[in-house]
């Protein structure tokens, strides 16, 4: 006999498990189906383990700067295996925590692969065979996987995807990273810091192409200063692989720039050219759900147009961010439980990249604000004008604000520098509260902190900056 639930969530990543827990909190009988690891890609193979790797690289970098701080450190080195082991341990700890939270909230966990057999009916392929589940509401939270381009497919030896890069079989000597979005530039930053001769190829006109152009330029300047080679408006047309039979070898990359193709040789390539939604083998088409370029089409409440079927997170399209998935999960659970939640505003979802230097943003870039017809006031405040940044030995960076000149609305904020991924939330809260420049100017920021730059960047937009 089929198990029956009020709500079944397919996928246990940051969208799925949060949705399941919130539904249970609201009194729904909830099940969560997961085919691989609780916590999904984010906790096991994405956000969390990459941050653990990048923290090791950050500490390694700081150790080399010991003399600047009046300290001495001799024989500085690293054990790549131990670095990776720590990263995997962090991921395992948090994935185990997800299992505990689901159990605590009385969510039924079913390990297996789900297929939508009919409206409200799910067939789950488990180790023990097929299992039937019915639900009044079904939430797709199946996430996404790495995009593979013809000729650039990963093989785990010479050409890696993100999973291979998280458990590298060796330290690259000469590394090519294809793509300079968050995933690509974070891996480039990690391996470059540990000593790899790193080249980044980006098809767009600048690295971190979704960011404000001024912020991208400042980030690029720091990457180049650290020894990275950046090729923009460039395309990897072909990879010639010459494995040595021992897990290594050489890769000859054919790189086209400005209509000319040149070859360069590397020992390792990381392909980070985007993601595609996990919509295959779910049975979506026969139910009438619309799919656009591997992503399920939804409205602002994550409804698919099929009665009782919702889609959240990466499978529902951009922005492909864990925190966006989590908030959609909460919203959908509350909607299913009979509530009246507010839809998420895409322009108030922050984006963070944890390379060195860090990059963070929310809302419209200066270019997009002007293109949308706004008359803008732009503020800028450099890290060199902040006492805490200088004390930390982190004087390189910038906070940039974009305001509507007519209303004072904060249209966007963009940052590059130390710990900006922790600073951006100040402006995110401001946007959510519909704050104008007046409230931000009147807010007292503690001294000495990096957060004072949020205040100064606001003052700067109106010609009132004090410390620069």
């Amino acid at each position: 006999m089929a198990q029956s639930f009020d709500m079944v969530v397919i996928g246990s990543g940051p969208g799925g498990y949060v949705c399941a827990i919130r539904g249970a909190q609201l009194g729904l009988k909830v099940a969560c189906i997961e085919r691989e690891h609780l916590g999904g890609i984010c906790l096991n193979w994405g956000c969390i383990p990459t941050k653990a790797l990048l923290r090791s690289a950050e500490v390694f970098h700081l150790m080399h700067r010991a003399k600047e701080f009046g300290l001495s450190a001799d024989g500085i080195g690293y054990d790549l295996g131990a670095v990776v082991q720590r990263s995997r341990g962090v991921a395992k700890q948090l994935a185990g925590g997800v299992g505990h939270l689901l159990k605590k909230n009385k969510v039924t966990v079913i390990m297996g692969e789900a297929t939508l057999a009919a409206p409200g009916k799910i067939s789950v392929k488990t180790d023990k065979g097929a299992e039937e589940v019915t639900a009044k509401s079904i939430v797709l939270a199946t996430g996404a996987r790495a995009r593979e381009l013809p000729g650039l497919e990963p093989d785990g030896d010479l050409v890696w995807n993100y999973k291979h890069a998280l458990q590298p079989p060796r330290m690259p000597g000469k590394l090519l990273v294809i793509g300079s979005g968050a995933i690509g530039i974070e891996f480039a930053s990690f391996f470059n810091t540990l000593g790899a001769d790193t080249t980044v190829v980006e098809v767009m006109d600048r690295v971190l192409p979704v960011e404000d152009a001024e912020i991208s330029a400042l980030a690029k300047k720091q990457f180049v200063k650290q020894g990275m080679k950046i090729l923009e408006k460039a395309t990897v047309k072909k990879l010639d692989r010459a494995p040595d039979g021992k897990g290594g070898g050489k890769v000859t990359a054919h790189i086209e720039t400005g209509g000319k193709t040149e070859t360069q040789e590397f020992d390792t390539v990381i392909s980070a050219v985007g993601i595609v939604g996990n919509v295959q083998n779910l049975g979506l088409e026969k139910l009438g759900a619309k799919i656009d370029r591997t992503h399920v089409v939804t409205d602002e409440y994550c409804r698919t147009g099929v009665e009782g079927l919702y889609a959240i997170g990466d499978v529902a399209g951009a922005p492909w961010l864990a925190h966006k998935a989590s908030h959609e999960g909460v919203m959908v659970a509350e909607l299913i439980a009979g509530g009246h939640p507010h839809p998420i505003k895409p322009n108030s979802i922050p984006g963070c990249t944890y390379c060195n230097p860090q990059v963070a943003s929310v809302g419209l870039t200066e270019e997009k604000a002007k293109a949308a017809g706004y008359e803008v006031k732009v503020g800028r405040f450099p890290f060199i004008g902040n006492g805490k940044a200088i004390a930390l030995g982190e004087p390189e960076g910038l906070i940039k604000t974009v305001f509507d000149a007519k209303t004072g609305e904060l249209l966007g904020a963009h940052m590059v520098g130390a710990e900006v991924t922790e600073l951006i939330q100040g402006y995110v809260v401001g946007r959510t509260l519909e704050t104008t420049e007046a409230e931000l100017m009147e807010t007292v920021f503690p001294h000495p902190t990096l957060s004072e730059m949020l205040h100064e960047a606001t003052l700067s937009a109106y010609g009132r900056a004090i410390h620069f």
Side-chain angles (χ1 to χ4, degrees), residues 218-298:
L218 288 170
K220 177 187 174 181
K221 184 178 178 180
Q222 287 300 304
F223 298 150
V224 172
K225 186 177 179 180
Q226 294 163 15
M228 276 192 218
K229 300 173 187 69
I230 308 289
L231 302 178
E232 297 160 328
K233 294 184 180 179
T235 306
V236 177
K237 306 298 288 186
K238 183 182 177 185
L239 295 175
D240 294 329
R241 313 177 197 209
D244 61 9
K246 302 175 183 177
K250 298 294 180 184
V251 181
T252 301
H254 298 251
I255 304 171
E256 183 183 287
T257 309
K260 296 181 180 180
T261 300
E262 297 182 352
T263 60
Q264 291 190 41
E265 195 173 86
F266 302 90
D267 60 45
T268 309
V269 177
I270 296 176
S271 179
V273 290
I275 62 173
V276 292
N278 290 326
V279 295
Q280 72 285 2
N281 303 322
L282 284 170
L284 289 170
E285 293 87 349
K286 67 181 180 182
L287 293 184
K290 295 180 181 178
I291 297 172
D292 179 22
R293 289 171 291 179
T294 78
H295 296 287
V296 180
V297 178
T298 65

Side-chain angles (χ1 to χ4, degrees), residues 78-340:
Y78 63 86
D79 178 340
L80 184 61
V83 169
V84 172
Q85 186 177 11
R86 176 181 180 271
S87 168
R88 301 313 307 155
V90 170
K92 183 178 179 181
Q93 178 182 344
L94 287 168
V98 169
H100 169 74
L101 289 170
L102 290 169
K103 183 178 180 180
K104 174 186 173 184
N105 286 278
K106 297 180 174 57
V107 174
T108 299
V109 174
I110 303 171
M111 299 302 295
E113 189 156 1
T115 302
L116 301 172
K121 294 182 179 180
I122 305 169
S123 176
V124 187
K125 184 180 178 182
T126 71
D127 290 340
K128 299 177 181 178
E131 185 174 330
E132 298 299 319
V133 177
T134 64
K136 297 173 186 175
S137 300
I138 297 171
V139 183
L140 300 175
T142 52
R145 64 190 184 279
R147 182 186 300 277
E148 295 184 2
L149 297 181
L152 308 183
E153 298 92 346
D155 54 41
D157 293 326
L158 297 176
V159 183
W160 300 348
N161 61 18
Y162 66 94
K163 279 193 176 183
H164 304 130
L166 281 168
Q167 291 186 301
R170 64 180 183 282
M171 177 64 195
K174 193 172 182 185
L175 172 67
L176 171 64
V177 177
I178 307 173
S180 76
I183 296 171
I185 211 67
E186 285 183 3
F187 279 125
S189 189
F190 171 73
F191 285 110
N192 186 72
T193 300
L194 293 189
D197 180 359
T198 304
T199 298
V200 177
V201 171
E202 172 54 54
V203 69
M204 303 296 283
D205 62 352
R206 54 193 169 86
V207 292
L208 296 167
V210 302
E211 300 296 341
D212 184 272
E214 190 173 357
I215 298 300
S216 291
L218 288 170
K220 177 187 174 181
K221 184 178 178 180
Q222 287 300 304
F223 298 150
V224 172
K225 186 177 179 180
Q226 294 163 15
M228 276 192 218
K229 300 173 187 69
I230 308 289
L231 302 178
E232 297 160 328
K233 294 184 180 179
T235 306
V236 177
K237 306 298 288 186
K238 183 182 177 185
L239 295 175
D240 294 329
R241 313 177 197 209
D244 61 9
K246 302 175 183 177
K250 298 294 180 184
V251 181
T252 301
H254 298 251
I255 304 171
E256 183 183 287
T257 309
K260 296 181 180 180
T261 300
E262 297 182 352
T263 60
Q264 291 190 41
E265 195 173 86
F266 302 90
D267 60 45
T268 309
V269 177
I270 296 176
S271 179
V273 290
I275 62 173
V276 292
N278 290 326
V279 295
Q280 72 285 2
N281 303 322
L282 284 170
L284 289 170
E285 293 87 349
K286 67 181 180 182
L287 293 184
K290 295 180 181 178
I291 297 172
D292 179 22
R293 289 171 291 179
T294 78
H295 296 287
V296 180
V297 178
T298 65
D299 66 9
E300 61 182 351
Y301 288 101
C302 297
R303 295 175 295 206
T304 65
V306 177
E307 185 68 28
L309 183 64
Y310 304 79
I312 64 174
D314 287 357
V315 76
W320 299 287
L321 299 166
H323 41 285
K324 172 252 197 184
S326 295
H327 272 263
E328 286 180 336
V330 169
M331 177 187 71
V332 166
E334 293 180 350
L335 193 64
I336 290 170
H340 303 281

